[in-house]
Structures are given as structure tokens and as C-alpha cells.
């Protein structure tokens, strides 16, 4: 059985202004509590089944935080397109907080510049080629009005504060030591710093004593590995890991 949900400010889950990229106040904590509500629903309707969480990109950071707060409700976590460190954290946090105070509902120029920097190694200009080597998937993303939208300044400030807090050693150390993790990524994914940030994450999990952490990095693959040209390989690897852990 597979369950998924729109995050606040995405898809059809509109709040407050009704605009994409507006997730309302205290969005990060509500992202995590929304997943707890979904997990509670699953547990109530499917008694006795193990529950695994797969988080991709922003969802992978929500999954990391969820594992620290509610890891005892899961049997395993798959992290896709993730990271384990916030580069230039203090400087970036100051910039986004100032923008959020001055114009909370305005589109975030910080996030726009980050996405532009992601694409530069691939085409030298703004775009979404950083997502996948498959041009059909890139075009589908570009043509979808529910994709590629800007977060407002308030959400970016809240998102980065959430990352800062979840990577606080005292919080990460709350992850259950027996909770299995499978970390998957393209080795050309700029979100994870071409795996540099993921190496930090893996080292931290080892340092905290999490016993079962495995990973696979796909050569040449970019951010959306489930939309990559080797997607069948990625799907088979994730399903294989889940099958091994569900018994």
C-alpha cells in the first residue's frame, strides 16, 4: 500500500492566500505534524503493517526531522535527493530572515538564486536541467504550472530554520538507533552537493550510533532519480531494500 500527500503550499493544498509557495505560518513544524497525522491514519486503518517513509528533496528533510521526532512509528526511511548540511548557514539565515520581515509574502529571491546556481553546471544558464538527464521529464516539469513555483520569503525562512534545527546534534541524536535508513542520490545532484553533503549525513548517522544505514549513489544521475534515465534501476533498488526490511 502506498500513501502520499500534498505538502502545504503545494499542489491542491492551498492555505491562507491560496498561492503556491505560501505554506502559512510555522510551516515547517506543520509539515512534520502533517506526516504524523498521515502516519496515524495509516496505522489506524492497517493494523500490524510496517510503515516505511520515503522522502524526496524537501520531503527528505521532513523525513529526517520526522525520524527524530517520531522515529518509533516507522520501520525504515528512504531519503532521496537529500543533504546533511546547510552551507553558509548563518549568512543565509540572516538574509532570509530580513526578507521575511520586510516582505513575507513576496517570492523569495534567495531560492531563485539557489536554483539558478544548481543549473549553471549543466547549461550555464537558468533552467531545470539539474533535475534529470531525461529531456522529456524536464519539459513536463517546465510545462506544469504546479512545478517550478517560488516559495515566499516567509516559507524559505521557516524552511531554513527547520533545517538548522533538525541538524542540531541534540535533535539528530534522538533518532532511534535501530531505525534503518537507505540514502539514494545521483552523484551529480546539486542539492546534496554532488554527494558531499550526503557524506556528512552518513557520517553523522554513524556517529550517533544508528546501526543500519546504507546508501547508493548513481553515476551521472541528477536530482530526481525516480525521473532519471535509469529510473528502473533506482525503483528496483528501493523495492529490494524495502522487501529486505519488511520481513
Amino acid at each position: 500500500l502506498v500513501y502520499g500527500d500534498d505538502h502545504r503550499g503545494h499542489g491542491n493544498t492551498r492555505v491562507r492566500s491560496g498561492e503556491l509557495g505560501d505554506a502559512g505560518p510555522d510551516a515547517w513544524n506543520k509539515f512534520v505534524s502533517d506526516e504524523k497525522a498521515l502516519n496515524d491514519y495509516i496505522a489506524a486503518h492497517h493494523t500490524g503493517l510496517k510503515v516505511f517513509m520515503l522522502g524526496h528533496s524537501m520531503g527528505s528533510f521532513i523525513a529526517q526531522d520526522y525520524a527524530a521526532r517520531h522515529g518509533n512509528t516507522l520501520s525504515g526511511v528512504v531519503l532521496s535527493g537529500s543533504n546533511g548540511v546547510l552551507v553558509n548557514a548563518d549568512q543565509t539565515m540572516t538574509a532570509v530572515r530580513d526578507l521575511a520581515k520586510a516582505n513575507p509574502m513576496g517570492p523569495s529571491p534567495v531560492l531563485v538564486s539557489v536554483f539558478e546556481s544548481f543549473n549553471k553546471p549543466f547549461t550555464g544558464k537558468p533552467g531545470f536541467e539539474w533535475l534529470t538527464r531525461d529531456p522529456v521529464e524536464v519539459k513536463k516539469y517546465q510545462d506544469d504550472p504546479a512545478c517550478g513555483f517560488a516559495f515566499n520569503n516567509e516559507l524559505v525562512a521557516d524552511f531554513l530554520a527547520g533545517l538548522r534545527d533538525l541538524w542540531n546534534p541534540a535533535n539528530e541524536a534522538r533518532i532511534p538507533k535501530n531505525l534503518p535508513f537507505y540514502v539514494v542520490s545521483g552523484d551529480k545532484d546539486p542539492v546534496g552537493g554532488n554527494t558531499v553533503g550526503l557524506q556528512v549525513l552518513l557520517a553523522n548517522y554513524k556517529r550517533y550510533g544508528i546501526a543500519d544505514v546504507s546508501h547508493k549513489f548513481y553515476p551521472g544521475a541528477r536530482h530526481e532519480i525516480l525521473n532519471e534515465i535509469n529510473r528502473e534501476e533506482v525503483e528496483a533498488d528501493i523495492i529490494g531494500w524495502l522487501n529486505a526490511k519488511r520481513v
Side-chain angles (χ1 to χ4, degrees), residues 2 11 14 17 26 33 39-40 54 62 73 82 88 98 111 115 121 152 158 161 164 215 235 239 241:
V2 178
R14 311 298 179 88
S17 69
D26 196 29
S33 64
N39 189 299
D40 290 347
L54 188 157
I62 296 171
T73 68
S82 200
N88 299 323
D98 290 346
L111 201 62
F115 283 178
N152 66 25
D158 205 33
R164 176 200 62 204
H215 71 277
E235 290 173 4
I239 290 169
W241 185 85

Side-chain angles (χ1 to χ4, degrees), residues 20 195 222:
L20 289 167
T195 77
R222 302 177 188 178

Side-chain angles (χ1 to χ4, degrees), residues 6-10 13 15 22-24 27 30-31 33-34 58 155:
D6 277 344
H7 298 308
R8 294 163 185 260
H10 294 65
T13 307
V15 300
D22 173 17
K30 289 176 180 175
F31 285 150
S33 64
D34 287 343
M58 187 181 81
L155 176 53

Side-chain angles (χ1 to χ4, degrees), residues 4 41 52 64 102 128 133 165 174 180 187 207 214 230 241:
Y41 178 90
F52 294 83
Q64 288 184 42
F128 294 101
R133 293 167 291 182
D165 292 345
R174 292 161 50 198
D187 74 356
R207 181 159 53 88
S214 55
N230 63 320
W241 185 85

Side-chain angles (χ1 to χ4, degrees), residues 169-191:
N171 290 330
E172 275 192 310
R174 292 161 50 198
I175 297 172
K177 304 301 183 277
N178 62 344
L179 181 62
F181 281 83
Y182 187 37
V183 180
V184 289
S185 175
D187 74 356
K188 300 301 182 192
D189 180 4
V191 171

Side-chain angles (χ1 to χ4, degrees), residues 128 136-147:
F128 294 101
V136 174
E137 292 295 334
V138 172
K139 188 174 189 309
K140 283 166 61 177
Y141 186 94
Q142 291 172 327
D143 292 345
D144 189 338
C147 291

